[in-house]
Amino acid sequence: MGYMLVFCMLSTFFSMRASGGALSSSSSSNNVHGIGEVFNVMMEGAVGDGRTDDGEAFQRAWLHACRIPSAVVLVPAGRKFSLRPIVFAGPCASKLQLKVEGTIVAMEGPGSGTGDHKAWLEFKNLRDFALVGNGVINGKGRRWWSQVCRPTMKRCNPGSKEPPNGLVFQNCVNVRVSNLRIRDSPKFHLTFTNCDGVRATGLLITAPRNSPNTDGIHLKDCQNVFILNCRIRTGDDCVSIQTGSSLVLIEDIECGPGHGISVGSLGKSRSKACVWGIKVDRATFDRTTNGFRIKSWQGGSGHAHGIMFLNAKMNKVEKPVVIDQYYCDSATPCANETSAVAISEIIIANITGRSSSMMAVDIKCSEHVPCRNVVLQNITVTTESNKDKSTADISCWNAYGFITNITSPMSCSLKPEPAGTGLFDPYRNPTRPLGC
Ligand SMILES: *[C@@H]1O[C@H](CO)[C@@H](O)[C@H](O)[C@H]1NC(C)=O
Ligand SMILES: *[C@@H]1O[C@H](CO)[C@@H](O)[C@H](O)[C@H]1NC(C)=O
Ligand SMILES: *[C@@H]1O[C@H](CO)[C@@H](O)[C@H](O)[C@H]1NC(C)=O
Ligand SMILES: *[C@@H]1O[C@H](CO)[C@@H](O)[C@H](O)[C@H]1NC(C)=O
């Protein structure tokens, strides 16, 4: 199924259930807006003073609402609710909403609490669920960041606990996360794993530029994902797309600071990875290390296929576009291997702005599994790092494809596709690659 068809189906579905007006603060029967009974966490005993553990009240509100179609769990404005790691589990009746108008803060730092939690706020086994509102979700990550072991750090406790991710969605169908401000997560801010039908819209996700592993949105094994109108400023990837993800549309995103949007890393430890049908349209990157990046380890298998990166603006981005089949983040160099995650039908078009290095596009493909059908069109990136040169470099290694209208074709020699294989419409709807 093509993007547009999926998109229309999902947007119809979601626009029908967009919240339609004021919610009463106490329980009420179905109202004209189609919003069902409202369970205000205050009515369930939450204190909302920013210190008291309100987990039990949230859990009670959730359990009540979960049974009733179109119910709403309301986290009211003007109060701050403190939560330990908590699981909001389904299955629930359809069209459940968690509406956050107030502030939710994390209670536990690395020194407190019982047991290891991989997630702070976990949502699992939900269908037709929406997390919405104009409130704030603050993971208080600062307490964790100084403990995380990073090669660049002077002080680091090797026995320290792995920080939890902030908001974690697992095993879901048709979920929406809208309009919230999500900040300072101990690790990734918002993750979706094994979900079909995701809409993340109008989100503002922030963490300091030097906070470790604070990816904005992290996807793994998800299909039909729409990330629209989001602003993400963190210390790591703005959006990270991992294996098993397909039909992902990212539009009108503002990234930076951070590491940009990335597909991968794929194929680590000789694993098989499949990612296909990714489109990033109208992104702006401000002072990020990368703009758009596809990275894979040597020795893996599988395919990254049908990926478009269009209409992007770069402001002082170190490496605006990177395709790297030699990704390796270990201290010692990774050995060269003969297998790799294949990369094909990659379209990079209409990229403008400034690079903070000499580089505009850097493509390094495997000698044994070269990149196929790479299309570069309308790329005009200037550099500010060298006064004698105004256009940044485009470099290509072991890639096949074609180039049109590039103001700086320096060391890029995309090899022409062999006769009979070079004709493809780069803008057709993507399809699942063979073997995936
Ligand atoms: C791997 O291959 C690349 C490309 O041929 C080469 O530049 C690099 O030195 C090799 N690395 C090792 C560790 O052999
Ligand atoms: C590139 O930009 C031009 C001019 O704004 C626009 O007409 C064209 O559709 C864009 N190309 C893509 C692939 O989006
Ligand atoms: C390249 O840019 C020109 C002018 O902005 C536009 O007309 C054309 O559609 C663009 N080409 C592509 C492939 O986006
Ligand atoms: C080439 O790109 C430049 C800069 O984006 C644009 O102004 C021009 O119209 C493009 N030309 C073609 C033939 O696409």
Side-chain angles (χ1 to χ4, degrees):
M1 203 174 344
Y3 279 115
M4 290 325 294
L5 182 52
V6 174
F7 180 75
C8 292
M9 286 163 53
L10 283 175
S11 58
T12 307
F13 168 73
F14 280 97
S15 62
M16 271 168 21
R17 52 192 302 268
S19 73
L23 295 169
S24 60
S25 62
S26 59
S27 297
S28 63
S29 53
N30 282 5
N31 65 22
V32 289
H33 302 296
I35 291 170
E37 204 166 342
V38 175
F39 296 88
N40 186 327
V41 293
M42 294 299 286
M43 303 293 174
E44 305 288 342
V47 176
D49 63 359
R51 292 190 306 274
T52 311
D53 180 359
D54 285 322
E56 278 183 28
F58 274 64
Q59 206 60 264
R60 267 195 298 275
W62 179 266
L63 289 174
H64 289 144
C66 178
R67 290 196 287 258
I68 300 168
S70 303
V72 176
V73 173
L74 177 65
V75 179
R79 291 194 175 264
K80 194 191 265 189
F81 300 89
S82 204
L83 295 180
R84 295 202 154 87
I86 183 170
V87 181
F88 297 101
C92 290
S94 160
K95 302 191 179 179
L96 175 62
Q97 277 195 18
L98 175 55
K99 193 166 167 80
V100 179
E101 300 294 353
T103 298
I104 296 178
V105 296
M107 234 180 137
E108 287 184 352
S112 57
T114 50
D116 284 311
H117 293 278
K118 290 208 165 69
W120 171 41
L121 306 178
E122 183 176 346
F123 298 86
K124 67 178 190 189
N125 307 332
L126 293 166
R127 173 184 281 269
D128 301 342
F129 168 72
L131 171 60
V132 299
N134 299 297
V136 175
I137 298 181
N138 184 339
K140 297 268 187 180
R142 205 171 292 277
R143 297 174 293 193
W144 296 88
W145 299 330
S146 59
Q147 303 224 341
V148 175
C149 286
R150 282 189 292 177
T152 52
M153 290 181 83
K154 290 196 191 79
R155 272 182 304 127
C156 153
N157 169 11
S160 61
K161 281 196 262 179
E162 179 76 358
N165 293 321
L167 286 88
V168 171
F169 283 81
Q170 298 211 66
N171 308 330
C172 45
V173 178
N174 290 336
V175 293
R176 179 165 67 102
V177 181
S178 298
N179 300 340
L180 295 159
R181 282 166 289 164
I182 302 171
R183 74 165 65 121
D184 292 347
S185 177
K187 201 177 163 194
F188 305 157
H189 282 79
L190 178 56
T191 77
F192 297 93
T193 306
N194 198 18
C195 291
D196 186 359
V198 170
R199 281 174 80 85
T201 64
L203 300 174
L204 173 61
I205 301 180
T206 57
R209 66 168 65 229
N210 59 358
S211 56
N213 299 325
T214 50
D215 290 17
I217 301 179
H218 195 82
L219 302 174
K220 186 165 179 287
D221 294 317
C222 290
Q223 289 77 49
N224 300 309
V225 177
F226 300 86
I227 297 173
L228 311 175
N229 293 301
C230 290
R231 283 178 292 162
I232 302 180
R233 308 172 183 143
T234 70
D236 206 303
D237 288 341
C238 171
V239 179
S240 164
I241 301 167
Q242 302 293 330
T243 184
S245 302
S246 60
L247 298 172
V248 176
L249 176 64
I250 301 175
E251 270 181 5
D252 302 300
I253 189 163
E254 285 176 28
C255 292
H259 296 179
I261 297 177
S262 71
V263 172
S265 58
L266 304 175
K268 190 174 187 176
S269 309
R270 298 171 190 260
S271 58
K272 178 176 176 181
C274 287
V275 171
W276 62 275
I278 312 294
K279 181 173 172 181
V280 178
D281 199 359
R282 298 189 302 269
T284 61
F285 297 88
D286 192 12
R287 292 156 223 259
T288 49
T289 52
N290 302 286
F292 183 71
R293 177 163 61 151
I294 303 173
K295 51 186 180 178
S296 68
W297 297 75
Q298 294 190 71
S301 63
H303 213 139
H305 174 82
I307 297 176
M308 293 191 232
F309 181 56
L310 313 174
N311 304 307
K313 289 195 178 71
M314 305 286 165
N315 182 35
K316 299 188 182 172
V317 173
E318 234 173 277
K319 293 180 176 173
V321 177
V322 174
I323 299 176
D324 183 5
Q325 272 181 316
Y326 295 91
Y327 183 72
C328 174
D329 72 356
S330 68
T332 52
C334 295
N336 279 337
E337 307 264 1
T338 53
S339 70
V341 178
I343 295 181
S344 67
E345 297 194 12
I346 309 298
I347 296 132
I348 314 283
N350 283 0
I351 314 295
T352 60
R354 288 187 298 174
S355 164
S356 65
S357 73
M358 304 278 285
M359 195 59 79
V361 177
D362 189 9
I363 298 179
K364 286 197 207 84
C365 301
S366 155
E367 279 184 77
H368 302 275
V369 190
C371 302
R372 307 304 303 260
N373 276 315
V374 174
V375 178
L376 305 178
Q377 287 174 321
N378 280 1
I379 299 178
T380 312
V381 176
T382 60
T383 174
E384 46 183 36
S385 73
N386 183 341
K387 294 215 161 42
D388 304 329
K389 266 174 88 179
S390 61
T391 48
D393 286 354
I394 296 182
S395 114
C396 307
W397 171 257
N398 285 324
Y400 289 78
F402 59 90
I403 295 181
T404 51
N405 196 23
I406 294 211
T407 53
S408 51
M410 303 68 303
S411 44
C412 182
S413 50
L414 280 180
K415 303 175 200 175
E417 289 289 341
T421 59
L423 297 169
F424 87 110
D425 168 9
Y427 297 102
R428 72 174 184 212
N429 282 330
T431 51
R432 182 186 295 277
L434 281 175
C436 277

